[in-house]
Amino acid sequence: SSHEHKLNFKKSKEVCLSYIQDAMLQKQWKRAAEFLTFYIESLEKDFSTEYMGPSEMIWRIGTEILCHHSHSSMKEFNSFIEQMKTLGVKRYLKVCLEHAFHLLCNGLIDEAYQNLSLAESWRFGEQTAIQDKEMKLIQAYRGLLDYYSWSKQKTILLEHGQDGFEDLSVEQEMHSCFRKAAVNLREIIKIPGVWDLFVKCYVDLLEFYGDHNEARQVLNEYAYNSKFPANPNAHVYLYQFLKRHGESKKSLISALKILHDIVPSHELMIDFNTMLQKSKKRKKRRLGLEVIFAALDYAGWKENVKAWGCLARQVKQIVISEKHLDWIKQEWNSRKDWWPAFHFSRYLAKRNWQENESLSYEKALVAGILLGKDCKYFKYVSHQGCKAQVKRFRILKKFVNKHNPAYLRISG
Amino acid sequence: RDFNERCIQCSEVNWGLTDGGRFYCRSCHNVTERTREVVNTDFISNTRIQTISKGLRKQEKTDGGCEWYVCEGFQLVLKKQAEALEALGVCPQMKDEILCNFWRRYLQKSKQAYCNRPAGETVKALSVCDSSTDVDSEPERPSLLHLLSLSESEGDLQTDCSFASSTSKVSENTSVCSGSVDGSLYLMKNQKEKLRMTMPMTLSFCYMALLWLREPMTLSDLLRFVVEGHIPYLNVFQHFPEKMKLCGLDLKIFCVESWPVYEEVYNKMIELAAFLDLPRFPDITDSCFLHPDMLCMKYLMEANLPDELHNWTCRVVKKICIGEADFLTLVPGNKSTRNVKYDVLAAAVIVVVLKLLFLLDDHYEWLLSDFAEERNKSNKEGGSYFEFKKWYKVIKCALDVEQKKLDEERAKYLWRCEKPLFYSAKKKSKVLKRRQMVVNLQNQFGKLSGSVRPAEKPNPSSFQLSWSEENRDGSCFHGHSLKGILQEKCGLLTAVNPDYWLCTVKLCTEKLCGHLAHYREVDFPQSYHFVLRLFSFLLRIQPSYIHDEVCVIEHKLFNKKLCKKPKYNTGLRK
């Protein structure tokens, strides 16, 4: 602080660092660069015993500044990073990787590829083994870029195919890209982790070359292997794959079940409910109701016509059949305290009617069953609908009136 | 001239010097084989060791370096510092006489030179008498080692001390661990009794010389000049000649990585003065810069306080007898008197005076200020009354600005220099590569800094804050009057303020905890803290040092009252 008159090298650099940090937080890049200039000499006293030594500080801070400073260029950035690579051998691959990311973010895909290839060929005694994880990542990203090339060539081929051209060299290159990509992508997804992008690309490759078995296996592993972190996307990918290949409803349903458990608000819940509703099995239909109610608990679904449509359809079906009203009762039990204000307020009735007639229709049906014909929402909407002489609202009104006893059983 | 032998040929004692530096008899022109070893009084300017006897010392090592001893290095440092001080206006006598005499004495006392047999040293064998065979020596450039051959009474060239080395030769190993010959030995020895030389001690030497000459530079001034770069200290080894290679343990000795601390330099100086058996220093009288009356004047000006306060500081000084030459003058080795830190003392006196007149209890001073403001409003002509509030605002503003600048300067302080340092030859290439990278990065980010970095050091000045009465904005308080806060009683001017609070009722024992008092900001009024902060900034020392001194002064001032059963409430007022 200001009253400290004793000063040594270490303290002086700590103070300098705090000035840099302040400047960066306030986005004063010139000032940050200025103070960094004075901090840099701590490299000459880098004993690498601290958790984060000067060389790592300078790498990270310098990168930030060069990213944001108006006068810096890619060329400067590259020359800076090259110097950083020589600074700490323990960090070499990490720096390479982040450099590649930066190049990719700036659209310099070829340069990124070169960097990754160069890094892949790096060997440094026991460090190579210690930095194994970074190496795998580098290979994986290079594989990704190979996939990207493959993809481009595929597009070219298809275009040429349409035009009637045949291009052997492109085809060969495409296949070689495939091989390179496949090898690396396969490796990385073996390691427990979140590899969404890699998995998608790999599966895409496999499907193209017709190796559906491998693809299915990969997706199953990714979704169901307990060593991997819980990942909703894994289930989505699997589901989409199964759907593409016309798998049975049973397998589709089992794929989506876990997704419902993890992310009840997922957009695929509509598909899920649709499938479940149609099922012959009672349990499945029960589940369907649960699924659609759960989805509508979330604010993001409040104005989703499809979702309300699903719920309305199912509720209607149950009411007409007069079987399983208890299902609705069970679902409604935990919601009756807050759904009315959440979904069925008079304000919402007005707004829904004004903005989206279909939405208000579906919701009115549900409201009429759950809250009875005298509830605000139903009354307002049905009145408006009848006034506007929209046919279905008249039908709706009749329906709800007719089945009011059902409401009484649900609420009672 | 000092050569008193009789000429072999004519038995006269009438010698002159040939161009070759040999003695020749003026009477018969007989040239002897004796060469005259000249003791150049400015031997300090020479730092190359030369052998008198041949062959025992390698002149040149393979890397172009020569052999050098640690004390030679320090000698160079002192020389550079003395030159810098001279450039700042200190009289040349300091460098040419005082400092070099002190240094010589130190070498003698610590048995590194000027004595018969340096204890425990591995020293080369030298023989002055064999000089007849020594054609290569350059007589006009005597070496330090040569001077080792002199006895304790200097100038006695006759006394031939061909002393045998205690242990034969310097082992080859030492030169590997350090560029200097005795670097490792230097650090290994237990130097408690001999006061081993360190970099901060060079400043102690300088200050001691300044004090001897009663130069107008306080220790805090000196240390500030060091930090501002006007006096070589931080990377002074840059100025060593090419041939003096530094590596390994030399770095521990000569490279500093922290600013010199006032207490450390001061205490070392006291120790040094005693070690050198120096007599009583020249008296500090009331015409000296270091006298509290003078220093108070200076600090009052710098603190932008009314000149009238000077009367009060003088009164306090007189009352507690701290203006006496006996109190102020340094007597080395005298343990009974407390040694005087002139700058801290003067600052503390001013603080006490402010407390006397304004109480500084966060209440009374503002009250007085309001009264003064009233009077000033109704009294447009004539001098202004001093308003504490106005002064506070002006000073706080200036202080905050300067403090902020200082803080930023500290953050921007560059410790390294162009000359690379390495512990061993193996690391050399690595060090050089690093240095190159550092320079590259500095350039790269320097360009992105926008503004051009001012490369020059600020001009050295004795005053850090200056106030001019020509400023129309009324920000200068020198001429303001204290009329509003003074009253006349029995023909004597006293303060309107009847109260006083002591900083501490009892002084601590310095021996136990190193301090006389313990300062915590929260325990004291903010106005008091502000005043301490002001002088703490000017002197670049911790507020607690000034606080300690304030306590001592107060206890002297109110000694009688303290000894009596307290009738007055001398406790802290909130």
Side-chain angles (χ1 to χ4, degrees), chain B residues 367-401:
Chain B
L367 217 65
L368 284 178
S369 181
D370 288 338
F371 287 149
E373 195 183 340
E374 287 300 314
R375 288 208 191 85
N376 273 333
K377 276 199 202 137
S378 54
N379 172 34
K380 275 300 169 186
E381 355 65 39
S384 302
Y385 289 82
F386 177 71
E387 289 176 50
F388 189 86
K389 194 189 268 183
K390 262 198 186 165
W391 174 81
Y392 179 88
K393 280 194 193 148
V394 169
I395 293 295
K396 182 164 200 312
C397 205
L399 189 59
D400 286 344
V401 166

Side-chain angles (χ1 to χ4, degrees), chain A residues 2-5 7-9 12-13 16 19 31 34 38 41 43-45 69 76 86-87, chain B residues 257-259 403 407-408 410-413 415-416 434-435 437 444 448-449 453 533 541-542:
Chain A
S2 53
H3 298 307
E4 189 58 65
H5 292 287
L7 198 72
N8 57 17
F9 185 95
S12 159
K13 292 310 165 199
C16 189
Y19 274 92
R31 191 171 152 88
E34 188 189 348
F38 297 106
E41 63 170 9
L43 281 178
E44 294 183 89
K45 281 215 73 167
H69 197 286
E76 267 204 56
T86 66
L87 259 189
Chain B
E257 293 217 327
S258 57
W259 287 354
Q403 187 71 64
D407 291 340
E408 279 203 23
R410 280 177 170 158
K412 292 185 188 174
Y413 206 73
W415 296 82
R416 291 261 175 266
R434 262 297 151 101
R435 180 76 210 158
M437 179 183 292
Q444 180 171 25
L448 294 175
S449 300
R453 193 163 82 83
R533 200 186 127 207
I541 55 176
Q542 297 281 50

Side-chain angles (χ1 to χ4, degrees), chain B residues 202-244:
Chain B
T202 60
L203 298 176
S204 304
F205 265 97
C206 288
Y207 180 60
M208 198 164 67
L210 290 171
L211 184 58
W212 184 273
L213 288 166
R214 298 176 289 183
E215 284 284 334
M217 191 185 289
T218 62
L219 180 53
S220 54
D221 288 335
L222 175 68
L223 295 180
R224 185 166 54 86
F225 290 146
V226 167
V227 166
E228 288 176 359
H230 304 299
I231 298 179
Y233 182 76
L234 185 62
N235 290 316
V236 69
F237 54 82
Q238 281 181 99
H239 303 296
F240 284 8
E242 262 303 300
K243 286 187 174 176
M244 278 172 81

